[in-house]
Amino acid sequence: MENNRTIISKAAIDTSALGNGGKMSAQQADKFLTYMQDYSSILSKVNFIKITKTTRDLDSLEVSRRALRRQAENADNPATGTANQLRRTLNAVGVVMPYDVSFQYLKENIEGKNANDTLAKLFAQQFANDTVELAFIGDESSSDDFININNGWIKIARDDSDTHKFDTVGSTDYLNVVFPGLLASMPTKYYSLYTQEDKSKIKILCSPGVNRAYKRQLQERNTALGDAIITGGKNINYDGFEIVPVAFIPDEVQIVTPYENLAYGIFGPSLEVYHDVVPRKTRHEYTLLADFDMEIVNPDALVIGGNFSA
């Protein structure tokens, strides 16, 4: 029969793949990032970029409309269209996520060689949760030690003069005021650019509370539709545009944009997990180090709604 020392020794060996002090291998880093995307529905949909340096330029091209002209026979045909390069930059910020795991936990949850996978998944899930929350509500001007790690998409969108703002003036009439106003604020050209199989790729991102309030408004208008909303578990639409509830978006904020316009960059080579066994305190200490950043690829293709007059 195994004694406690043997069990603790096995646990330390089985979790050693998480790192005894150094960078993850390329294979381990890829597995960790895959866990993150598998766990978070948002990270699996937005522009998830594995950057190879702590800075990365995001370049996109935009061409002007109505550049067509009649051909001028045997004469100069001057340029009537322009191609503009849009450049945004990811600047990855270093973060630390320290965790303590007790000997008792590992005594009761020995999984052999799979223990490292289980812990890696748990760390990846929590890292995904924390970074997605920051991706939306991060604000470097905050006094909160978590919120001020980095600016998130809401802060970036509010501060950028090239994004489109729709002042909801605190309205909770999503059916007749908020959602129509948000969509009207999006430049028309993007409705044709972001179309695939006749279904717009532009999404309306909002809080779960706003999503439920909109459902209640629909239920009050149409019994048949209301019954379907109550029994169905899928996201609903407004005017054909999918409404996506996101847990980390405040009730007073809505975002209209394609998923791929929201960039999340993580510096893969910087992923490090340190593992120390501390017998005096009967615990394992894990420390995850990483660098990541968020950015909006094309601010002109994003509308943010809020009570800006408050």
Side-chain angles (χ1 to χ4, degrees):
M1 187 172 184
E2 295 179 330
N3 59 31
N4 286 350
R5 181 178 296 177
T6 304
I7 293 174
I8 292 170
S9 175
K10 282 189 174 183
I13 294 170
D14 289 340
T15 57
S16 64
L18 280 170
N20 289 317
K23 294 182 178 179
M24 292 185 185
S25 68
Q27 184 177 7
Q28 287 172 319
D30 281 343
K31 180 180 285 189
F32 186 87
L33 297 178
T34 299
Y35 286 153
M36 286 177 60
Q37 288 182 283
D38 287 347
Y39 178 73
S40 170
S41 61
I42 286 293
L43 289 182
S44 66
K45 293 172 182 174
V46 300
N47 195 356
F48 188 95
I49 304 170
K50 301 173 187 178
I51 56 180
T52 56
K53 297 180 180 179
T54 53
T55 61
R56 162 77 180 269
D57 289 332
L58 303 173
D59 293 324
S60 59
L61 286 175
E62 186 174 61
V63 295
S64 59
R65 299 175 60 218
R66 295 187 173 182
L68 286 174
R69 298 292 186 273
R70 286 178 179 267
Q71 292 182 9
E73 191 69 26
N74 195 28
D76 183 31
N77 288 276
T80 56
T82 57
N84 299 315
Q85 183 181 21
L86 306 174
R87 171 164 289 182
R88 310 281 285 190
T89 303
L90 289 165
N91 292 290
V93 174
V95 294
V96 57
M97 192 176 79
Y99 265 98
D100 293 340
V101 180
S102 70
F103 282 175
Q104 189 65 35
Y105 171 84
L106 290 174
K107 290 177 193 177
E108 297 171 356
N109 295 275
I110 293 300
E111 297 184 63
K113 294 181 180 180
N114 294 325
N116 64 309
D117 268 358
T118 300
L119 287 170
K121 286 178 182 177
L122 289 173
F123 295 153
Q125 288 171 2
Q126 191 56 53
F127 186 79
N129 261 342
D130 286 356
T131 58
V132 169
E133 185 173 4
L134 272 176
F136 282 100
I137 66 170
D139 184 347
E140 293 175 9
S141 65
S142 171
S143 59
D144 186 291
D145 288 341
F146 173 72
I147 303 298
N148 65 19
I149 289 174
N150 209 347
N151 283 335
W153 293 314
I154 292 174
K155 173 68 172 174
I156 295 169
R158 283 181 177 274
D159 291 351
D160 196 313
S161 59
D162 291 329
T163 60
H164 304 279
K165 283 82 174 177
F166 174 69
D167 194 339
T168 62
V169 199
S171 174
T172 56
D173 186 351
Y174 304 105
L175 184 62
N176 300 300
V177 177
V178 178
F179 291 161
L182 288 167
L183 293 173
S185 300
M186 175 68 78
T188 306
K189 60 183 176 182
Y190 294 112
Y191 292 123
S192 59
L193 286 176
Y194 291 106
T195 300
Q196 186 177 32
E197 297 178 356
D198 296 327
K199 184 177 181 182
S200 175
K201 293 166 70 176
I202 294 173
K203 308 297 180 184
I204 302 174
L205 308 181
C206 65
S207 73
V210 167
N211 183 56
R212 288 192 295 270
Y214 173 59
K215 286 182 176 181
R216 285 196 298 270
Q217 291 178 6
L218 292 181
Q219 291 166 11
E220 292 169 359
R221 289 170 57 92
N222 187 310
T223 302
L225 178 59
D227 290 343
I229 290 171
I230 292 172
T231 57
K234 295 182 179 179
N235 289 344
I236 57 175
N237 295 345
Y238 174 84
D239 196 23
F241 296 91
E242 183 183 8
I243 297 172
V244 182
V246 179
F248 303 116
I249 296 182
D251 286 345
E252 66 272 15
V253 175
Q254 300 84 39
I255 296 174
V256 178
T257 198
Y259 282 130
E260 59 263 41
N261 200 29
L262 302 176
Y264 176 102
I266 185 163
F267 181 34
S270 75
L271 281 170
E272 300 177 66
V273 174
Y274 293 85
H275 172 213
D276 295 305
V277 181
V278 189
R280 183 69 61 86
K281 297 182 179 179
T282 64
R283 71 187 183 205
H284 294 256
E285 295 181 353
Y286 295 92
T287 305
L288 170 66
L289 303 177
D291 295 78
F292 72 99
D293 191 24
M294 288 73 64
E295 189 53 86
I296 297 169
V297 179
N298 180 3
D300 189 40
L302 184 144
V303 178
I304 182 166
N307 190 2
F308 298 107
S309 58

